[in-house]
Amino acid sequence: MFKAAALSRRTTPAIFFVFHPSRHQVLSLPRPKPPADQTLLSLLQRCSSMKRLKQLHGQLITNDLLSDAPTLGKLIAFCCVSDDGDLRYGRRVFDLVPRPNTFMWNSLIRGYSYSRDPREALVLHRRMLRCGLLPNQFTLPFVLKSCASELASTEASLVHALIFKLGFESQVFVANALLSAYSSCGFIGLARKVFDEIPNRNVVSWNSIISGYAQAGDCVEAFNMFRAMRNSNVESDGFTLVSLLSACAQAGNLGLGRVAHHYVVITGVSVDLIAANALLDMYGKCGELFVAQKCFNRMALRNVVSWTSMVCAFAKHGLLDVARSWFDQIPERNVVSWNAMISCYVQHGLFREGLNLYTHMQSSRVIPDEVTLVAVLSACSQTGDLVTGKEIHEDMTERITKPSVTLFNSLVDMYAKCGSVDIALDIFRVMPEKTVVSWNVIIGAFAIHGCAFDAIELFRQMICEGFSPDTITFTRLLCACSHGGLLEVGKYYFEAMSIDYKVPYEIEHYACMVDLLGRGGQIEQAVELIRSMPMKPDIVIWGALLGACRIHGNMKTGEEVMKQLLELESDSGGLYVLVSNMYSERHRWEDMKKIREHMKKSQIKKCRAISSIEINGNINEFLVEDMRHENSCDIYCLLQTLTDHLISAGYPSVPLGVIKEQPVSFALTKYMSIAGNDEMAKSREYHLRDSVTCCLMELENKCHVTCNLEHMFSDST
């Protein structure tokens, strides 16, 4: 009854034609697969290892079956999606396919969306569109997941437009992915609009919007959405609870955190390990350390996250010794727990402890990640430890193929603060991607080194490349003008930031301008600027004005500023010493004596500054009147020689008492590096660092003092 005609496999590989005599038409049906195709497809569906998959791939090649799209699609899907797959192998197979179908594209995009390189999923999506293939409802959720991972808000908006164009806005899982992408990118308002337009919301929709408000730090609105969720008769799950507790932890809202805890207790919701860790973390970040420890002790099952949460809880509230004790008790530390403890040290200013722990981490054979390197680079920049910084740079080059822009920024900042501004600029030039933060770092690098014109030129390049400066940009630009003495240029940019660039003035900008005007001798204009400020001046602004008064000998204005400063910080030892030194320089010995007696009576002490010098990887630290070093006697002998030399050279404005009471790191470190230490004299490389500005450099005729000291040292060496 039926007449059949089968065409060649290569021309129509999956079509079988039949003729129906009663209907007088030809019907097309899927052509039955050959036995070899069916067998290999069945084996691919049951495949559980890459070794077995490669054997099946060889069979496909041997039997000339690579043109069978479903079979090849299953092979690519296993490589990209399976936990036992190999994404790189799947990509190589995919690249050899002349015309991949939508299923193959979806598998590869999905694989990259879960990989360490989610941006590649966005690249593949664009390639797919250029090939003339439109994505379907299974493609877009993984593209949006990659947008969320990369904080790619622009790409998310483009995908949003594509969703409307293709009519997928009613697909709940597509809408959920879009909602999550906007939330992750910080556009909670757009996320809320997407949520409100979802016709049939499920528990994932509610969890996504609650999580979005949690990420935005809006704890109250997260709980409002949770209340609306319950009123809509949607049953919450463990992810809902975790989002609520995370919101409370981030906002430090202990009251709502307790509400969430009571809800768990009253309703009897099962609490898994993730939710238990979220509860523990909430109490820890809200300062309820006893309750947090109580929750920890009641946990039947703990993991490294539980221990790390306790470490962070104690460290956040300044109990670093207790935090370290908990850290040492962690049964199995991973890179996250190491990062937590190292970051705690760095954030609390214990940079040397952080670097020592990093060394311990390396000896424990734990591979550091980018978070580790950013933290230790920050410690290196604060301590001036260039040797360790270079070692980290080498380790980063070997281990990380595509460093993030954050890691590059930290590297540039480290080299700049350690004095190697040329290396910092070289790294900045080769960065594959730059952000406003990157430009701020390099402009600030030249600013702190007094290279004002270079900083200004970099600012102009930043504008030419289409970056919009922010408040930090102008703070560093004005700082560069102040250090370089570019008074008129600084005035120009101070006016332009508000008029041309629409950047609002903040107190840091006023502080820079007061310092700039003060250094230029325009103290009256600096006072007028302070009076015109819309905010109350802080100690930094008054301190900048006081420094200007000291430089230019304006004691009348200086005394008025002193009153303002002492009202703001009545227990600041450094401030009292500065005032005392001002009286000393003007030979007002009685006033200086009164200040000293008041300090002694009130038990006000100046924080002891630390100077350090690094020789061959070893760091030597010095305090004021420090006798710990083995060559202390020689150091102070040279200091006395320097003092006598300055006085004999005609610098009576440098009182002996002032020199002895200041860190005088300039003299100490110069002596240590050139004159007094055999090891340092033999060293080809040494690095100096002072925690405060050298007092000698702040004195009147500072350039001449420096030149005389340099001349003296050159003669001695």
Side-chain angles (χ1 to χ4, degrees), residues 70 76 78 136 220 280 286 291 366 397 416 418 464 510 540 577 582:
I76 294 173
F78 178 87
N136 58 23
V220 175
L280 167 65
C286 290
V291 180
V366 177
T397 305
C418 289
C464 290
Y510 284 103
V540 177
V577 171
M582 285 188 67

Side-chain angles (χ1 to χ4, degrees), residues 527-598:
V527 172
E528 289 299 321
L529 181 63
I530 293 174
R531 289 173 180 169
S532 66
M533 287 171 52
M535 70 283 290
K536 187 176 180 180
D538 61 1
I539 188 171
V540 177
I541 290 179
W542 289 121
L545 184 59
L546 181 61
C549 293
R550 179 186 179 187
I551 292 173
H552 298 284
N554 191 332
M555 289 300 299
K556 181 179 179 182
T557 305
E559 288 179 342
E560 294 296 323
V561 174
M562 290 178 202
K563 296 178 183 178
Q564 298 289 341
L565 280 169
L566 293 176
E567 288 179 4
L568 289 173
E569 285 201 15
S570 59
D571 58 346
S572 173
L575 178 59
Y576 278 98
V577 171
L578 178 61
V579 173
S580 173
N581 290 340
M582 285 188 67
Y583 284 134
S584 173
E585 290 166 8
R586 307 304 297 175
H587 304 293
R588 295 172 57 172
W589 310 118
E590 289 299 322
D591 291 329
M592 183 190 77
K593 184 179 179 181
K594 290 179 183 179
I595 291 290
R596 295 290 179 175
E597 289 176 351
H598 176 72

Side-chain angles (χ1 to χ4, degrees), residues 642 645 666 670 674 688 697 703-717:
L642 285 175
H645 175 76
F666 183 82
K670 272 287 186 181
I674 299 175
L688 313 178
M697 298 298 291
C703 296
H704 298 291
V705 174
T706 304
C707 291
N708 273 275
L709 290 174
E710 292 284 1
H711 177 69
M712 179 180 178
F713 281 119
S714 63
D715 291 343
S716 65
T717 56

Side-chain angles (χ1 to χ4, degrees), residues 15-29:
I15 303 298
F16 187 70
F17 295 99
V18 298
F19 180 74
H20 198 289
S22 62
R23 297 183 181 177
H24 302 285
Q25 60 183 354
V26 177
L27 302 178
S28 61
L29 298 174

